[in-house]
Amino acid sequence: MEDKYILEKEYSISADMFREAYRAYQKKFVYPKSYFFMAIFLILSADFIYAAFKDMSNYFAYILIVICLALAFREWYNPRRIRRSLVETVQEMGDLVYKIGVGDSYVDISTVSAPDGIEDEDGGESEDMAGEDVPEPTRIPVDGKMRLLEYSEFFLLLYGKQVFYIIPKENFSESERDIIRKLAS
C-alpha cells in the first residue's frame, strides 16, 4: 500500500511475551464469561447436592452433580489449555518478523518474514514467506471497534473482541510509543 505512515517499524514477539499478552487478553474477554459459567455450574451442583441429601435414593441428582462439576472444571481448564496450545504453536513457528504502519486513521499490520524452513504444499520454500513483504497488510481502522490496552512490556491492539495484535514496547522509542498511545484517544 502506498500510504504515508506516521510510524513504520518492524518487530518480533517472543513466546514468553505472547504468553503474557494472551493471558492479558483472556483476563479481559475470556475469564469473565468463564468464571460466570463456573459459578452457575457450581451453584447448580450445590443445589443437586442438597437434593441428594434430602433424598438419598435420588440417583439422578448424583449424575447431575458429576455433570455440573465436570462442566465447571471444563470452564476453568479450557482457557488454560488453549493458551498453552497457542504458545506451543508460536514457539514452533520461531521468530516471525512483523511490520506495523500507523497512519492518521488506520493501523496496518503484516508479517514480513518467517523463519527458514517453512515449506509450501509442493515441498518447496514458500514464496509468500521467503523474506518478502506480504502484499496486503491487515488494515485496522481507528474507530469505535479498535481499542488499545497498555501493559508494562507491550501494547495490546484489539479490534472487536476476537482480533488482537501484540506490539512489544522494547522495539520502540518513547516518541514511537507516544504515537501508538495516541491511537487510543
Side-chain angles (χ1 to χ4, degrees):
M1 294 189 172
E2 299 180 19
D3 296 316
K4 298 282 184 184
Y5 293 125
I6 300 168
L7 169 66
E8 185 174 19
K9 191 142 188 174
E10 293 182 359
Y11 62 92
S12 62
I13 301 168
S14 69
D16 289 334
M17 183 170 292
F18 181 84
R19 178 183 300 111
E20 293 306 312
Y22 193 67
R23 181 177 288 133
Y25 170 79
Q26 284 182 316
K27 284 181 182 178
K28 188 79 173 168
F29 296 105
V30 177
Y31 286 160
K33 182 187 103 170
S34 182
Y35 291 151
F36 174 75
F37 281 111
M38 277 179 16
I40 287 174
F41 292 132
L42 291 174
I43 289 169
L44 286 173
S45 66
D47 185 48
F48 294 130
I49 289 171
Y50 176 74
F53 276 121
K54 274 181 73 175
D55 180 11
M56 296 290 215
S57 65
N58 186 357
Y59 297 111
F60 188 63
Y62 297 117
I63 293 170
L64 291 174
I65 291 168
V66 171
I67 290 172
C68 286
L69 290 176
L71 291 172
F73 177 77
R74 187 191 69 173
E75 287 295 325
W76 174 83
Y77 180 72
N78 274 350
R80 287 151 183 84
R81 179 184 53 83
I82 291 169
R83 182 176 60 238
R84 184 175 51 247
S85 174
L86 286 174
V87 169
E88 287 173 1
T89 301
V90 168
Q91 287 174 333
E92 289 174 7
M93 288 175 23
D95 289 333
L96 294 175
V97 178
Y98 301 95
K99 183 176 184 179
I100 185 171
V102 178
D104 291 329
S105 61
Y106 59 89
V107 177
D108 288 341
I109 296 182
S110 62
T111 305
V112 175
S113 66
D116 294 334
I118 293 184
E119 299 178 349
D120 62 12
E121 303 87 37
D122 300 328
E125 188 174 315
S126 173
E127 294 178 15
D128 293 338
M129 300 297 283
E132 301 176 9
D133 286 344
V134 174
E136 289 295 320
T138 301
R139 177 156 286 183
I140 303 158
V142 178
D143 59 12
K145 290 183 182 178
M146 201 261 337
R147 294 175 44 195
L148 184 74
L149 303 176
E150 184 172 356
Y151 295 91
S152 61
E153 295 182 19
F154 56 87
F155 293 101
L156 203 56
L157 181 69
L158 304 161
Y159 192 69
K161 291 185 179 181
Q162 296 178 334
V163 177
F164 69 95
Y165 298 94
I166 303 162
I167 304 167
K169 287 183 175 181
E170 67 189 10
N171 298 86
F172 296 89
S173 68
E174 192 58 40
S175 62
E176 292 170 330
R177 291 179 197 166
D178 288 337
I179 292 171
I180 295 171
R181 284 183 189 107
K182 288 180 183 176
L183 294 172
S185 56

